[in-house]
Structure formats: C-alpha cells, structure tokens
C-alpha cells in the first residue's frame, strides 16, 4: 500500500536538469539541427519557458524546417 507520494517540481530532491537538457539535445540530433547548450536550456527554463516554447525557440533559430509537434514527439519518446 502506498502511504505517501512525493512531488519534486522544483528539483529540490533530485536534479533533473541533465535529463531535461538531453530531452532537447536528442531531438536536435535526430533532426540534424544545432542543439542549444546546456546553459542555454537552463536559462530558458529559469525564464519559465515550457518545452513547447523552447522547441519553438530552437525552430526559430534553425535554418532547417521541422514542426514543433515532431520535435516534441521525439522528446516525449526519449523521456
């Protein structure tokens, strides 16, 4: 029987930043586009951007064409 559930939404207990970064790096690699740096992803997250907004930022700075939905689908498969 489950007696307690702990939610760690602010990375207090577990730091998920590397996993979050990899969740953006892998779709970039699969779509053959330049991946933002780890620091860039952290900065975007610190601004409160969600994955969809970050994917849009990546798309807007890329010369390659891809949909945000395709990017997020690859990300979701990884995560």
């Amino acid at each position: 029987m489950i007696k307690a559930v702990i939610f760690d939404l602010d990375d207090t207990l577990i730091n998920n930043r590397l996993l979050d970064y990899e969740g953006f790096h892998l779709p970039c690699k699969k779509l053959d586009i330049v991946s933002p740096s780890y620091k860039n992803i952290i900065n975007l997250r610190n601004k409160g951007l969600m994955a969809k907004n970050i994917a849009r930022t990546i798309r807007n700075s890329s010369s390659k064409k891809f949909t945000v939905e395709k990017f997020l689908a690859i990300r979701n498969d990884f995560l």
Side-chain angles (χ1 to χ4, degrees):
M1 171 167 62
I2 298 174
K3 295 186 179 193
V5 176
I6 298 173
F7 293 94
D8 181 26
L9 302 176
D10 63 353
D11 294 335
T12 303
L13 301 174
I14 299 172
N15 184 343
N16 290 314
R17 289 181 173 192
L18 182 57
L19 179 62
D20 189 41
Y21 166 73
E22 289 296 331
F24 291 104
H25 177 72
L26 182 72
C28 288
K29 187 175 178 180
K30 288 194 174 201
L31 294 168
D32 194 31
I33 57 177
V34 176
S35 178
S37 69
Y38 174 83
K39 186 177 178 180
N40 194 350
I41 294 295
I42 298 305
N43 288 337
L44 293 170
R45 284 297 198 185
N46 287 340
K47 291 179 182 178
L49 270 65
M50 301 299 287
K52 190 173 194 176
N53 302 105
I54 294 173
R56 281 187 188 131
T57 301
I58 293 169
R59 183 193 62 195
N60 293 342
S61 67
S62 174
S63 60
K64 293 213 172 191
K65 298 208 182 262
F66 62 92
T67 65
V68 170
E69 291 75 18
K70 173 75 173 173
F71 187 96
L72 293 175
I74 297 168
R75 176 181 160 79
N76 289 340
D77 287 345
F78 168 72
L79 296 174

